[in-house]
Amino acid sequence: METQEALRLIFLGPPGSGKGAQAKIIATRNKAKHISTGDILREAAVAGTDLGLKAKKFMDAGELVPDEVLLGIVEEILSDDETARSFILDGFPRTMPQAEGLEELFGKLKVKLDCAIKLDVPDQAIVERLTARVFCASCKTDFNLRTKPPSQSGVCDNCGGPLVQRNDDRKEVIENRLKVYHDLASPIEAFYKRRGLLKVIAANRGFDEITHDILAAIS
Ligand code: AMP
């Protein structure tokens, strides 16, 4: 039986750089587990769990959820052997304590990271993208009012559900999310660069071109 090659990636980049959409495609293609900490926290917030209630107030303000919460989530997910064999981390690490905690966890689990992909997009383009981003409240399909509009305004093409905006995609919250990102991103990128693992991909381009370059970078 053919075994899928293991893939162990981290996706870095500002909010709205397309990490989630690209990570989903690459994960499906390579049968790797897509681990989006933002999705996990949003699902917990909708479900009203203790974690979700704690995370929601940070998320709605565009602030980061505390490191120990995130490290706990990621440790639990990666403690599954099959997941640790092949995964894409999307939206984690976002702080140096998270990057250092992850390195320690990789050591404990004997996981060797293939590379950290950074999707590079200028701030102006991010604000334009995110203010136009909506998703289906029912099936979660993403749309963008500028680049991928639904056929009928406010209605999901896929399931007919209502299209809504993320709480944290309002302009003032996006500006805070970008500020938080810029304050913290450089040392994390330097951390992976020192290890020879950082690959920077220009991501203010067509979706397929970006996927193509990511695949080339990890091949
Ligand atoms: P995202 O969908 O990746 O943009 O994440 C949405 C929100 O979830 C962020 O603005 C943070 O509030 C929270 N979040 C997601 N990942 C992390 C992380 N690694 N560390 C702290 N907070 C996070």
Side-chain angles (χ1 to χ4, degrees):
M1 194 179 74
E2 197 190 325
T3 359
Q4 187 81 33
E5 222 177 296
L7 185 72
R8 289 145 172 187
L9 298 180
I10 286 174
F11 272 39
L12 304 172
S17 55
K19 295 189 298 291
Q22 293 290 348
K24 252 181 230 165
I25 295 261
I26 309 279
T28 306
R29 195 178 172 280
N30 290 274
K31 297 197 171 60
K33 171 94 170 169
H34 173 212
I35 306 167
S36 157
T37 47
D39 285 352
I40 293 167
L41 294 171
R42 271 185 294 281
E43 279 159 24
V46 169
T49 61
D50 286 350
L51 166 68
L53 295 177
K54 186 168 178 196
K56 191 171 183 323
K57 59 177 193 298
F58 295 101
M59 296 169 80
D60 285 351
E63 298 291 339
L64 292 184
V65 175
D67 289 334
E68 59 280 11
V69 176
L70 268 296
L71 278 163
I73 293 174
V74 170
E75 175 154 15
E76 193 183 321
I77 295 175
L78 287 181
S79 64
D80 174 67
D81 289 348
E82 192 49 37
T83 303
R85 205 187 85 80
S86 219
F87 60 84
I88 300 182
L89 274 168
D90 158 18
F92 183 95
R94 263 174 152 105
T95 66
M96 275 312 288
Q98 290 181 14
E100 282 156 359
L102 184 64
E103 187 87 338
E104 207 177 298
L105 181 62
F106 283 166
K108 207 163 81 182
L109 299 173
K110 306 214 167 15
V111 162
K112 197 177 156 297
L113 190 67
D114 294 326
C115 63
I117 305 272
K118 181 198 168 182
L119 298 188
D120 203 18
V121 182
D123 282 5
Q124 179 58 33
I126 294 283
V127 175
E128 284 167 13
R129 279 185 195 194
L130 290 189
T131 46
R133 182 162 82 167
V134 289
F135 71 99
C136 173
S138 187
C139 74
K140 312 286 181 249
T141 301
D142 290 314
F143 293 87
N144 188 291
L145 302 177
R146 286 157 44 93
T147 54
K148 189 194 164 201
S151 324
Q152 196 188 333
S153 169
V155 180
C156 176
D157 287 350
N158 192 36
C159 75
L163 298 184
V164 294
Q165 189 179 41
R166 269 172 53 168
N167 278 345
D168 57 356
D169 278 346
R170 287 172 291 125
K171 192 160 184 286
E172 63 281 12
V173 182
I174 293 168
E175 279 160 5
N176 194 36
R177 287 166 68 200
L178 279 172
K179 180 180 178 307
V180 168
Y181 169 77
H182 287 301
D183 287 349
L184 298 168
S186 307
I188 300 177
E189 285 162 28
F191 179 88
Y192 290 110
K193 193 168 179 192
R194 272 198 304 278
R195 287 161 176 74
L197 293 171
L198 184 71
K199 309 253 170 138
V200 181
I201 309 274
N204 197 18
R205 296 181 295 154
F207 189 85
D208 294 344
E209 281 175 278
I210 301 167
T211 310
H212 173 273
D213 284 5
I214 296 173
L215 290 172
I218 63 179
S219 65

